[in-house]
Amino acid sequence: MAVDSAQLIKIINHMAQYIEENKDFLTELDAAIGDADHGINMAKGFKAVSEKISSMEDKDCGTILKTVGMTLVSTVGGASGPLYGTAFMRASQATGTKDKITFEDLPTILDAALEGIKMRGKAQKGEKTIIDSLEPAVKVLKSSSPADLDLLKKAVDAAKDGVEYTKGIIAKKGRASYLGERSIGHQDPGATSCYIMLKAIYDALENMQK
């Protein structure tokens, strides 16, 4: 299966829809250990993204992903904007000027996004961040070849398990780190939004195959 520019825009809009639907939930999670604005900021950013990419069907996939990244950096407040913005811009670099993205491209693209987040956030797995859901998903995608929808489903499940994992660890990055051991028992909002976005990608691709 290959996704062209028009379909990529549909997938990104699907992500925007899922973020909007979970805006209050993400904000509630953030209220417990952060600034209580993660859902609000992410929804604002993806609304801007949807507007920006609405007329980009004639652009290559890398250009679309770069536009998503730049828009998130400029519209999402807090740490999430730079982190997710960097992820999409690194994904754009990995995609290049391709007019279509295949399942085989997905591990490389998401791995580039992961490395971008690690670089920008100076973080690693086990510190209660986005990485705790994204890294397990990438690991699954890189574990088998060729990638397909079934493998992506396993990757999404791994991301969900990563979100659960964040409940039992101490936050070591961002505002949540100020709470120390009191951050235990709370799931990380960033890891959660990352899982939601990966689930949106899977659901959109599944719908396209029907």
Side-chain angles (χ1 to χ4, degrees):
M1 182 181 181
V3 171
D4 62 21
S5 296
Q7 291 170 317
L8 177 60
I9 289 170
K10 286 182 180 179
I11 291 169
I12 294 165
N13 284 334
H14 214 70
M15 294 165 77
Q17 176 191 335
Y18 275 34
I19 290 293
E20 177 62 34
E21 289 172 356
N22 287 277
K23 176 175 67 177
D24 292 342
F25 175 55
L26 290 170
T27 297
E28 285 170 16
L29 292 177
D30 199 32
I33 59 173
D35 293 325
D37 60 2
H38 185 61
I40 295 166
N41 284 338
M42 290 292 290
K44 175 186 172 186
F46 269 96
K47 182 181 179 185
V49 163
S50 289
E51 292 169 357
K52 280 268 190 182
I53 65 174
S54 62
S55 58
M56 293 185 70
E57 291 185 359
D58 61 332
K59 304 295 184 184
D60 62 72
C61 293
T63 299
I64 293 168
L65 291 172
K66 183 179 179 181
T67 301
V68 174
M70 292 174 67
T71 304
L72 291 177
V73 168
S74 63
T75 58
V76 178
S80 300
L83 290 171
Y84 278 126
T86 299
F88 275 95
M89 285 190 274
R90 286 293 185 90
S92 162
Q93 292 172 4
T95 303
T97 58
K98 289 184 177 183
D99 291 321
K100 292 184 178 181
I101 296 173
T102 67
F103 272 119
E104 286 73 19
D105 296 322
L106 205 52
T108 301
I109 291 170
L110 287 179
D111 190 40
L114 172 64
E115 291 306 313
I117 290 173
K118 284 183 172 182
M119 179 274 299
R120 178 53 69 97
K122 295 179 172 58
Q124 58 189 357
K125 190 174 181 294
E127 295 184 326
K128 209 179 184 94
T129 70
I130 296 167
I131 295 167
D132 291 311
S133 58
L134 183 54
E135 186 166 278
V138 170
K139 186 175 181 180
V140 168
L141 285 174
K142 293 171 72 176
S143 70
S144 180
S145 183
D148 57 19
L149 199 60
D150 289 338
L151 190 65
L152 180 58
K153 175 66 167 63
K154 292 176 182 176
V156 172
D157 289 343
K160 187 176 183 180
D161 290 342
V163 172
E164 287 297 311
Y165 166 69
T166 65
K167 293 179 182 178
I169 58 177
I170 296 174
K172 296 182 180 178
K173 295 291 176 181
R175 190 177 179 87
S177 65
Y178 302 158
L179 297 175
E181 289 191 0
R182 286 181 294 148
S183 64
I184 295 176
H186 300 282
Q187 74 186 60
D188 182 67
T192 307
S193 61
C194 181
Y195 159 69
I196 289 168
M197 291 158 68
L198 291 171
K199 179 73 162 60
I201 294 170
Y202 171 79
D203 287 350
L205 288 171
E206 186 184 37
N207 288 337
M208 287 176 187
Q209 282 203 340
K210 288 179 180 177

